[in-house]
Amino acid sequence: MVLQEGELRLYARGPLMGMPHAMLQNRLSLSPSQIADLRLAASKMTGPARRAFEAEMTLKYCAGNPLMAEAVFGWGRQTVALGLAERRSGLICRGSQSAFSGRKRWEEQHPQAAQALRDLAEAHAQQDPTFRTCLTSTRLTAQAALQALRDQG
């Protein structure tokens, strides 16, 4: 859709069926710079925070219509619809990638060995001799720690 200078810019991938341009201009009370600011703010967020922000702005400026939010702000209407559903239900949806991806930390995989290593390092820890910090340090090397753990069983 080609618009003249100063007119409302629509971020549509195709024709907007059932949503005339006049209706958008009547419903929307934002200037183009305000729309750009809202788009920038949304682009700085990720995940549930972004969906919540997009849902709030859709409710405030687009009467809760994801299609109108897509046309005005350029946000994906599926994402906006998910944000509205999360807001309505109070449940946060996690995608399969964020829920099931990534490797567990070694400490979570081997809690007994991690606790034994912590105890061993704490036994060899010493305070900073100058007392400038409250941190402790140890001269225990990884190789010596592994040998001590093997000796313990």
Side-chain angles (χ1 to χ4, degrees):
M1 177 178 270
V2 179
L3 301 175
Q4 297 297 324
E5 183 69 31
E7 284 189 33
L8 179 66
R9 175 160 165 66
L10 300 178
Y11 297 94
R13 294 182 186 95
L16 296 173
M17 295 184 200
M19 193 164 305
H21 181 64
M23 181 179 127
L24 283 173
Q25 277 208 301
N26 290 343
R27 303 253 356 180
L28 200 62
S29 61
L30 292 171
S31 69
S33 67
Q34 290 171 323
I35 291 173
D37 290 342
L38 290 173
R39 288 188 54 156
L40 178 65
S43 72
K44 300 294 182 188
M45 298 179 216
T46 59
R50 181 180 189 151
R51 290 192 302 265
F53 176 75
E54 290 178 0
E56 287 295 325
M57 296 303 108
T58 300
L59 285 171
K60 186 172 183 177
Y61 297 112
C62 300
N65 187 340
L67 182 61
M68 189 184 293
E70 180 184 36
V72 174
F73 298 114
W75 299 329
R77 65 177 172 259
Q78 292 87 1
T79 306
V80 173
L82 180 60
L84 289 168
E86 286 177 344
R87 186 179 189 280
R88 189 172 36 255
S89 68
L91 300 174
I92 302 298
C93 299
R94 293 185 63 192
S96 60
Q97 181 178 2
S98 66
F100 302 112
S101 69
R103 185 174 169 183
K104 291 190 191 284
R105 294 176 47 185
W106 181 84
E107 292 87 351
E108 294 171 4
Q109 291 178 353
H110 309 285
Q112 293 89 5
Q115 185 59 44
L117 188 60
R118 254 185 244 108
D119 295 340
L120 180 66
E122 201 167 298
H124 286 84
Q126 61 186 16
Q127 177 69 35
D128 179 22
T130 60
F131 295 104
R132 290 185 188 155
T133 66
C134 60
L135 299 175
T136 59
S137 61
T138 182
R139 292 186 176 179
L140 184 66
T141 63
Q143 201 171 26
L146 284 174
Q147 187 59 42
L149 285 176
R150 285 188 190 115
D151 294 343
Q152 285 180 0

